[in-house]
Amino acid sequence: LTPTTVRSNTRLHYLFDPVKRRPSKPCLICASPTCAPHSSPTFRNESITICDSCSPLFSIDFIMDFCDNDDPAVRETGVNHMVDVYDRALLLLRYTSQ
C-alpha cells in the first residue's frame, strides 16, 4: 500500500492512524476487548465496559430461557458460560477488595 492509497481509503486510514486507533477496554465480566459499538449501552452510560454478549447475563429473561430450554446441550453450554463468568467476577471482586 502506498501512502496515497492509505489516505484515500478512510477505512485503511483509520487502521494505520495511531491517533484514531485507540486500545479497547476489556469487558469487566469476560475480559475480552470491547470497543464502544460492541459494548452494552446501558452499562456504558455508567462508564462500565461490558460487552454485548455478557450484558444479557444480568437479566432474568436470559436465565429463564436457559432453564426452559428442552435441549440439554444448550442448557449445559449456557450454565457453563454463566458459571465461568460469575467465577471470574467473584475473583475480580475478591482481588479488588484486598
Side-chain angles (χ1 to χ4, degrees), residues 43-98:
F43 290 101
R44 189 178 33 209
N45 291 340
E46 299 174 17
S47 299
I48 300 172
T49 304
I50 293 184
C51 64
D52 283 334
S53 62
C54 289
S55 64
L57 292 172
F58 295 97
S59 70
I60 297 293
D61 296 333
F62 181 78
I63 295 169
M64 292 305 294
D65 287 341
F66 275 113
C67 292
D68 290 341
N69 198 324
D70 294 333
D71 188 10
V74 172
R75 279 195 312 249
E76 182 180 358
T77 304
V79 169
N80 287 339
H81 176 66
M82 285 189 284
V83 168
D84 289 341
V85 166
Y86 291 141
D87 280 347
R88 185 183 186 295
L90 180 64
L91 287 172
L92 182 66
L93 290 171
R94 283 188 181 163
Y95 177 75
T96 56
S97 69
Q98 292 178 354

Side-chain angles (χ1 to χ4, degrees), residues 4-59:
T4 55
T5 307
V6 172
R7 282 190 207 115
S8 65
N9 191 340
T10 57
R11 183 180 173 116
L12 288 176
H13 181 66
Y14 177 79
L15 291 175
F16 289 108
D17 191 358
V19 174
K20 292 183 180 179
R21 189 173 183 199
R22 292 176 290 205
S24 299
K25 292 183 179 180
C27 173
L28 187 62
I29 304 299
C30 66
S32 64
T34 306
C35 60
H38 292 104
S39 65
S40 173
T42 54
F43 290 101
R44 189 178 33 209
N45 291 340
E46 299 174 17
S47 299
I48 300 172
T49 304
I50 293 184
C51 64
D52 283 334
S53 62
C54 289
S55 64
L57 292 172
F58 295 97
S59 70

